[in-house]
Amino acid sequence: MKYFGGCDVGSTYAKCVILNEDGKIVSDATIRSKINPVKSAELALDEAIGKIDDIKSAEELSYLIGTGYGRNKVPFADENISEISCHAMGVHVTNPSVKAIIDIGGQDVKGIAIDTDGTVKNFAMNDKCAAGTGRFFEAMANAFEMTLPEFCQLSLQAKNTIPITAQCTVFAESEVISLVGEGKPMDEIAAGIQLAVAKRCFVMAKKAGATDSITLTGGCAKNAGLKKAIEHVLKIKVVDLAIDPQLMGALGAAEYARQKGMA
């Protein structure tokens, strides 16, 4: 049996997916990224490979592709492919009916349109500001003195929304701390934060050609409050994926590795 790997080294998390010849996921791993991207890739690969009896190291994979911001640092990778292409392919093999993606990573937001074969039709990216990214949500959770999962659920309880006007992560955090200090309802502040991010995603979604549905990838795809806000702003359905949305880049890389390794 041959095995094929995809390793997505992101700014916040490193992910690895290993497929067999049939394209089935046989192993995966997600770890917090280290300062050194090589170390991040090694740890993610080792954890995923450790779950498979047939192989002992990344060198034994038939083909390995690196992706993410640290894609050039993946040990033993046969080549690297951009995370935009890999997210598109990952979503395509998970749910071929989905043709548009908002990928919210640790430090950027991307809108991606998928062609019928899983390749990228077009894309748009906001990487000039951390507002609306995973780092932004971590900062907001810290301002609320909550864990990130707790914060992501908080806005679902809100009956009203308190708008957040600041567009910068630093200023938004200061604005939120002031509102909390004034005794404003925390769930309504959280709803305002989710709505502000959803509005930033609107342009990306339109550039990705979203018409009737879209899906979210990246760790922020697990944010239930953000999903609800995006559906409200875009007036379209956000499709849930059957596979962990945080793994989409690694899955797409592994699928590209499988296609190249089986050719």
Side-chain angles (χ1 to χ4, degrees):
M1 174 67 73
K2 293 182 178 180
Y3 295 99
F4 310 91
C7 191
D8 178 7
V9 183
S11 59
T12 309
Y13 287 91
K15 292 80 62 179
C16 180
V17 168
I18 298 175
L19 302 179
N20 63 15
E21 295 174 4
D22 299 322
K24 179 183 177 182
I25 296 176
V26 294
S27 179
D28 67 81
T30 301
I31 65 157
R32 189 84 183 187
S33 292
K34 309 302 179 184
I35 294 175
N36 184 337
V38 174
K39 188 65 175 177
S40 299
E42 287 176 343
L43 289 171
L45 281 164
D46 287 347
E47 183 174 324
I49 289 167
K51 299 174 184 178
I52 303 173
D53 294 332
D54 295 357
I55 54 175
K56 301 301 180 186
S57 74
E59 293 176 277
E60 297 178 57
L61 292 170
S62 296
Y63 210 91
L64 172 62
I65 286 180
T67 191
Y69 96 100
R71 60 183 175 271
N72 295 314
K73 304 296 185 180
V74 177
F76 313 117
D78 294 284
E79 64 176 292
N80 63 74
I81 295 176
S82 84
E83 64 268 30
I84 295 169
S85 295
C86 288
H87 275 264
M89 182 58 73
V91 170
H92 178 70
V93 298
T94 302
N95 186 340
S97 69
V98 176
K99 298 302 179 189
I101 305 169
I102 297 175
D103 171 39
I104 306 176
Q107 295 183 352
D108 59 31
V109 181
K110 308 178 190 73
I112 307 168
I114 311 173
D115 216 334
T116 53
D117 59 353
T119 58
V120 176
K121 196 181 250 183
N122 58 64
F123 74 94
M125 180 165 63
N126 169 31
D127 60 354
K128 303 300 183 186
C129 174
T133 67
R135 297 287 191 193
F136 175 79
F137 282 113
E138 287 181 347
M140 294 300 104
N142 288 335
F144 277 72
E145 297 182 340
M146 290 181 170
T147 65
L148 187 56
E150 287 171 342
F151 172 76
C152 292
Q153 293 292 321
L154 183 61
S155 65
L156 300 176
Q157 306 165 19
K159 291 183 171 56
N160 297 299
T161 301
I162 297 176
I164 303 299
T165 57
Q167 294 295 308
C168 167
T169 297
V170 176
F171 293 140
E173 188 172 7
S174 297
E175 184 177 354
V176 166
I177 291 170
S178 296
L179 290 169
V180 172
E182 293 169 12
K184 301 293 185 183
M186 293 180 72
D187 57 349
E188 296 181 5
I189 301 171
I193 293 168
Q194 303 283 23
L195 187 63
V197 175
K199 287 178 178 177
R200 293 180 73 88
C201 292
F202 180 84
V203 174
M204 298 295 160
K206 292 304 176 184
K207 288 184 177 179
T211 53
D212 57 350
S213 68
I214 198 164
T215 197
L216 305 180
T217 61
C220 292
K222 301 174 185 179
N223 183 333
L226 178 59
K227 176 189 171 186
K228 180 180 178 181
I230 288 176
E231 287 185 327
H232 173 74
V233 170
L234 268 63
K235 302 292 190 292
I236 60 175
K237 178 179 175 55
V238 175
V239 178
D240 290 324
L241 298 171
I243 296 171
D244 183 348
Q246 197 168 4
L247 292 174
M248 284 301 115
L251 173 59
E255 173 58 21
Y256 273 120
R258 188 182 75 88
Q259 291 177 8
K260 290 171 180 288
M262 295 290 287

